[in-house]
Amino acid sequence: MKLWGGRFTEDTDKLVEDYTSSIRFDQRLAEYDIQGSIAHARMLGSTGIITLEEAAQILEGLEAVLADVKAGRVQFRIEDEDIHMNVERLLHERIGPVAGKLHTARSRNDQVALDMHLYMRDAIAAVQAGIRELQTALVQQAQAHLDVIIPGYTHLQRAQPVRLAHHLLAYFWMLERDHARFHDCARRTDMMPLGAGALAGTTFPIDREQVMRELGFGHLYENSLDAVSDRDYLVEFLAAASLLMAHLSRLSEELILWTSEEFGFVELADAYCTGSSMMPQKKNPDVAELVRGKTGRVYGHLLGLLTVLKGLPLAYNKDLQEDKEGVFDTVDTLLPALRLFAGMVATLKVRRDRLQDVFARDFSNATDVADYLASRGVPFREAHAVVGRLVLEAIRRGTSLAGLPFEVYQAASPAFAPDIYEALDPVRVVDARAVRGGTGRQAVEQQLALARERLAGDG
Ligand code: ARG
């Protein structure tokens, strides 16, 4: 007999039962569901809606069911449709008919909303902790490699040299924004929906504030229709998750490029790579590739939920049951990705040998030659053209800007003096970018200090 079976005279079609049931995936909410029910039952008792004795029986029963769930001793059933009715059935098995009083002044519609808010609160905190772990690894590597200079790229063409630390810290700041977005999302998750009933509220004199306080929420939904149909906080979570995955995917791509023999800037620890069944020499960056690949499913979940919500009339519709799998899968995608990345970055080896003479043949110091002229009164546009011709000349001679004899410089512009060669050194080039936010040593040190402050700021 179904909990809602009163007005039915025929059994549910088996296929319908399977199709509409959510227990396969919402069993993940079991502990939150019971936690919410405990707060609800206590409130029903203290407001006198049920007797204190009944409340005590229900609470004791719920604690026992909770212990069973935690120990993996329960068997969920498809026929009981979802986690809410499975828990109620388990409670009934323990304490008998008084279990039927738990659902007073409540609907599964506000109940499932509560469960998801409780679940998301923990999930967001876990994601934020994962972000902090990765940020910490980035800061440590930046600190350890302050002296390492790598080519910086635009259009994936050599542009200007940058400190490796600067490059790594760029990801720190992306992740800092991600952290802030999840913080925002947590604020709008911090709302207690119970009391909305199915859609219109309840006739019982419940105490919503008590439930809110007991469950540690800061706010109540002020509209019962909104309370049962709001999934904005889930969309926000998926949107924040999508951006986070975009960042991880970009970092993945760079690590994949950088570990290739063509770049050869870094090597990943063996622990974070896999081999080939055929080619004995292979060491593949599978983790980074998978994170890059899994980004698509998170984007998909965001678009999926937005599409579910579009055009839904108020208030609850069964479509809303489709909010869960995508969110759960996103959490399951994010948490290991963050943990793996933290380990992969922390154990990254920088190939100083390969980076030593990486600038010997490139022109990534060309801007500095133009800047040299500009700071000696030559209009920058003109300086740009002069240096362009010098680059062409160097290519023709098969050398670099440093390899051109001084006569060539003199012939190109009378503003050149022999000290031009000092301006060509990659370390000089980098440190000349002393502007706040630039890649010069002191600027990067300042940046590192700020990054550390952010990490310490969490307390
Ligand atoms: N399993 C449902 C869900 O996830 C719970 C709410 C069901 N409410 C209802 N009236 N059928 O959305």
Side-chain angles (χ1 to χ4, degrees):
M1 184 67 169
K2 303 271 187 218
L3 283 179
W4 41 252
R7 69 96 64 222
F8 289 76
T9 54
E10 293 170 12
D11 288 344
T12 316
D13 182 282
K14 198 83 200 99
L15 201 54
V16 171
E17 206 165 67
D18 282 347
Y19 196 69
T20 56
S21 162
S22 53
I23 189 63
R24 240 182 328 106
F25 48 86
D26 67 11
Q27 55 182 274
R28 166 183 312 230
L29 299 172
E31 291 182 28
Y32 298 106
D33 192 74
I34 297 169
Q35 187 190 358
S37 285
I38 287 174
H40 182 65
R42 196 167 281 138
M43 180 278 291
L44 289 177
S46 67
T47 51
I49 295 170
I50 62 176
T51 69
L52 285 173
E53 199 182 314
E54 288 164 340
Q57 272 178 277
I58 292 172
L59 289 171
E60 205 181 308
L62 285 170
E63 294 289 358
V65 174
L66 181 60
D68 285 349
V69 166
K70 281 185 173 162
R73 279 194 298 261
V74 300
Q75 193 87 56
F76 294 120
R77 298 197 317 215
I78 298 266
E79 312 86 85
D80 289 326
E81 197 173 316
D82 56 25
I83 187 59
H84 324 296
M85 295 201 293
N86 268 277
V87 168
E88 193 172 326
R89 190 247 315 156
L90 291 167
L91 182 66
H92 191 271
E93 282 169 9
R94 284 213 162 248
I95 63 173
V98 68
K101 297 214 166 189
L102 170 61
H103 211 50
T104 313
R106 192 176 69 172
S107 156
R108 279 184 293 154
N109 297 351
D110 53 352
Q111 186 178 0
V112 73
L114 175 65
D115 292 6
M116 282 302 275
H117 279 77
L118 288 168
Y119 168 80
M120 283 316 296
R121 191 163 68 179
D122 283 356
I124 292 169
V127 170
Q128 286 187 299
I131 291 174
R132 285 298 188 232
E133 245 185 274
L134 175 52
Q135 283 182 304
T136 302
L138 287 165
V139 163
Q140 279 164 358
Q141 288 288 21
Q143 177 68 51
H145 298 99
L146 252 182
D147 59 317
V148 174
I149 295 172
I150 62 167
Y153 297 82
T154 62
H155 313 266
L156 204 58
Q157 305 290 318
R158 292 268 179 108
Q160 294 169 352
V162 294
R163 288 191 183 279
L164 174 60
H166 194 52
H167 196 116
L168 294 176
L169 288 174
Y171 285 96
F172 174 92
W173 297 110
M174 289 179 225
L175 291 166
E176 188 61 16
R177 291 193 294 274
D178 290 322
H179 193 271
R181 265 185 288 273
F182 283 108
H183 180 79
D184 265 9
C185 176
R187 275 182 30 216
R188 277 178 293 276
T189 303
D190 185 21
M191 309 247 309
M192 211 291 292
L194 229 54
L199 74 165
T202 173
T203 56
F204 291 95
I206 59 169
D207 185 346
R208 298 187 69 204
E209 280 85 2
Q210 179 187 331
V211 176
M212 173 186 85
R213 276 193 305 274
E214 172 162 348
L215 293 173
F217 283 102
H219 307 272
L220 290 176
Y221 276 94
E222 297 299 346
N223 181 304
S224 60
L225 296 168
D226 185 36
V228 290
S229 56
D230 173 31
R231 298 294 183 274
D232 293 359
Y233 64 106
L234 300 179
V235 172
E236 286 186 56
F237 174 77
L238 293 173
S242 293
L243 259 179
L244 171 55
M245 285 304 287
H247 295 151
L248 294 182
S249 186
R250 293 182 79 168
L251 183 53
S252 295
E253 173 67 11
E254 303 223 80
L255 290 177
I256 293 162
L257 282 175
W258 287 5
T259 52
S260 71
E261 199 45 43
E262 285 66 22
F263 279 77
F265 295 174
V266 298
E267 187 181 347
L268 297 175
D270 283 0
Y272 290 91
C273 294
T274 58
S276 156
S277 60
M278 187 187 202
M279 299 169 283
Q281 84 284 9
K282 292 299 292 285
K283 179 172 165 183
N284 297 328
D286 286 31
V287 170
E289 293 171 278
L290 269 177
V291 168
R292 189 176 60 182
K294 284 175 188 290
T295 301
R297 66 202 279 162
V298 174
Y299 293 1
H301 295 321
L302 170 62
L303 206 64
L305 184 57
L306 281 170
T307 310
V308 165
L309 296 178
K310 176 184 174 301
L312 277 193
L314 292 179
Y316 180 82
N317 302 271
K318 188 75 165 189
D319 315 44
L320 290 173
Q321 181 166 288
E322 286 293 307
D323 64 352
K324 287 174 200 62
E325 284 166 288
V327 167
F328 294 160
D329 183 67
T330 297
V331 173
D332 291 345
T333 303
L334 281 185
L335 291 179
L338 287 166
R339 166 149 309 162
L340 285 164
F341 252 86
M344 196 159 59
V345 168
T347 54
L348 195 72
K349 267 211 268 317
V350 176
R351 297 186 61 184
R352 289 172 182 271
D353 56 317
R354 281 289 298 262
L355 287 165
Q356 208 113 66
D357 47 19
V358 73
F359 299 107
R361 278 261 166 279
D362 80 5
F363 295 95
S364 60
N365 48 8
T367 312
D368 292 68
V369 182
D371 285 355
Y372 175 99
L373 290 178
S375 62
R376 280 160 184 74
V378 181
F380 183 78
R381 254 321 127 229
E382 197 182 315
H384 188 288
V386 167
V387 180
R389 285 192 293 273
L390 284 171
V391 168
L392 213 54
E393 179 62 15
I395 292 171
R396 207 180 55 78
R397 296 183 184 216
T399 184
S400 63
L401 285 171
L404 289 176
F406 187 59
E407 306 88 73
V408 175
Y409 280 99
Q410 264 183 319
S413 166
F416 281 119
D419 65 355
I420 179 58
Y421 291 103
E422 290 161 29
L424 298 177
D425 174 52
V427 179
R428 277 280 294 262
V429 168
V430 166
D431 285 336
R433 271 113 190 128
V435 63
R436 176 170 171 183
T439 197
R441 180 162 189 127
Q442 281 187 7
V444 173
E445 278 171 351
Q446 259 173 31
Q447 206 189 138
L448 252 177
L450 282 173
R452 270 215 205 75
E453 255 174 55
R454 294 291 178 100
L455 290 180
D458 276 356

